[in-house]
């Protein structure tokens, strides 16, 4: 099976992939940079959404190029990671959360491959924005590795690159958010439009602004990520060992089942 891991802040390495080779994939949306290699019977692609060395801020990431590149490579499953702040005292820094919903506060980001005209118009269903099969795989794999995992969570996506104000965080918590980050939207949306199964394991790096007693720093996020790097790698190895063939999944028909596809990802 062809599987991609999208790493975020603090997860740049792909050393558990055998025979790694850097690859640039040209797409009509721009280039994507990834490392291709193998794990067991799987072809694995490791893509860092911020580029190497955290060069691209969240609002300038070329999400369409990244997801389209994976589609061109015929990837069927994406496991994404995301560093997040916690909106709730009971979700402590260091926790792993398998996301199940999101609330979008971004603006000005390209959220679709279907921009009208030749590529048509698609209103993709996001009742279950994160693939239930990938979510189960992540939850089961984490439990098998004895990693404490929170099996659901609503992700609030902010525009960044600044952190939030305490007033914003209080509002997000009242709206039902559990964690906050800057990158999962539109990545998860584009993956669904591309009919690729997509799940995210969020790593809580800090209490969000106003819940944390201290001002937030990017270094704090990096430090907590690096403290949990080994756990994440354990989780990925278990996930890659557990994935068998490609089960059919409604994600793979998310657009074609609507019968309105005239262009975009699949038909060029
Ligand atoms: N806010 C937004 N994004 C983040 C945070 C945060 O507190 N922590 C890690 N990514």
């Amino acid at each position: 099976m062809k599987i991609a891991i999208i790493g975020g802040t603090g997860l740049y390495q792909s050393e558990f992939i055998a025979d790694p080779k850097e690859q640039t994939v040209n797409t009509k949306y721009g280039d994507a940079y990834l490392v291709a290699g193998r794990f067991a019977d799987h072809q694995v692609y490791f893509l860092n959404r911020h580029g190497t060395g955290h060069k691209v801020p969240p609002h300038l990431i070329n999400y369409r190029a990244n997801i389209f590149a994976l589609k061109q490579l015929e990837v069927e499953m994406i496991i994404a990671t995301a560093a997040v702040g916690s909106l709730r005292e009971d979700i402590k820094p260091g926790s792993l959360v398998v996301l199940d919903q999101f609330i979008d506060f971004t603006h000005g980001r390209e959220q679709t491959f279907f921009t009208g005209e030749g590529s048509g118009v698609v209103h993709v269903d996001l009742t279950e924005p994160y693939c239930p099969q990938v979510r189960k795989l992540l939850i089961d794999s984490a439990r098998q590795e004895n990693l404490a995992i929170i099996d659901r969570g609503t992700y609030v996506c902010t525009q960044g690159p600044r952190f939030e104000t305490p007033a914003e965080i209080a509002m997000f918590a009242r709206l039902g958010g559990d964690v906050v980050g800057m990158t999962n939207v539109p990545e998860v949306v584009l993956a669904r439009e591309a009919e690729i199964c997509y799940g995210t394991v969020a790593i809580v790096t800090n209490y969000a602004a106003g819940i944390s007693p201290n001002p937030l720093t990017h270094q704090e996020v990096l430090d907590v990520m690096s403290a949990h790097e080994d756990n994440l790698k354990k989780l990925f190895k278990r996930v890659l060992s557990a994935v068998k063939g490609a089960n059919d999944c409604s994600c793979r028909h998310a657009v074609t089942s609507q019968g309105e596809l005239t262009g975009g990802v699949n038909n060029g």
Side-chain angles (χ1 to χ4, degrees), residues 83-85 158 163-164 180-182 205-206 208 216 221:
V84 294
T158 62
F163 287 118
E164 302 71 34
V180 59
M182 304 176 191
T205 54
N206 56 284
L216 308 186
V221 173

Side-chain angles (χ1 to χ4, degrees), residues 9-102:
T9 302
L11 192 84
Y12 301 103
Q13 282 139 39
S14 46
E15 75 251 25
F16 54 89
I17 301 181
D19 203 11
K21 290 197 179 58
E22 287 186 16
Q23 196 175 330
T24 302
V25 181
N26 313 115
T27 79
K28 60 183 171 183
Y29 301 103
D31 293 344
Y33 308 94
L34 40 84
V35 176
R38 299 203 64 78
F39 186 99
D41 293 337
H42 305 300
Q43 174 70 44
V44 180
Y45 298 99
F46 189 95
L47 188 153
N48 192 289
R49 64 169 78 81
H50 295 286
T52 39
H54 208 96
K55 288 202 195 93
V56 189
H59 62 297
L60 296 180
I61 291 171
N62 193 339
Y63 296 97
R64 291 200 297 189
N66 288 347
I67 298 297
F68 204 84
L70 298 179
K71 185 69 182 174
Q72 281 178 197
L73 293 166
E74 299 177 337
V75 163
E76 292 169 283
M77 179 182 288
I78 298 173
I79 315 278
T81 66
V84 294
S86 170
L87 301 177
R88 293 181 15 193
E89 283 192 16
D90 58 327
I91 302 182
K92 298 187 171 53
S95 306
L96 299 179
V97 184
V98 177
L99 302 178
D100 73 331
Q101 288 290 325
F102 71 77

Side-chain angles (χ1 to χ4, degrees), residues 89-217:
E89 283 192 16
D90 58 327
I91 302 182
K92 298 187 171 53
S95 306
L96 299 179
V97 184
V98 177
L99 302 178
D100 73 331
Q101 288 290 325
F102 71 77
I103 302 174
D104 180 19
F105 278 93
T106 67
H107 49 86
R109 300 185 184 186
E110 298 288 358
Q111 291 231 4
T112 183
F113 293 114
F114 301 96
T115 51
E117 313 237 322
S119 49
V121 175
V122 164
H123 305 286
V124 80
D125 173 58
L126 289 180
T127 303
E128 286 188 292
Y130 298 89
C131 171
Q133 292 197 32
V134 177
R135 294 188 65 253
K136 181 168 185 326
L137 188 64
L138 283 166
I139 294 162
D140 291 349
S141 300
R143 291 194 174 134
Q144 281 156 8
E145 287 293 333
N146 286 321
L147 300 171
I149 191 103
I150 298 170
D151 64 5
R152 56 155 300 279
T154 296
Y155 176 101
V156 177
C157 197
T158 62
Q159 178 73 353
R162 66 171 177 84
F163 287 118
E164 302 71 34
T165 64
E168 287 169 330
I169 291 299
M171 174 183 73
F172 295 154
R174 259 183 251 127
L175 290 178
D178 297 306
V179 294
V180 59
M182 304 176 191
T183 54
N184 228 230
V185 186
E187 198 172 86
V188 56
V189 180
L190 293 166
R192 181 59 58 80
E193 281 196 352
E195 301 187 326
I196 303 173
C197 293
Y198 177 103
T200 299
V201 55
I203 303 93
V204 179
T205 54
N206 56 284
Y207 282 121
I211 301 174
S212 169
N214 311 310
L216 308 186
T217 65

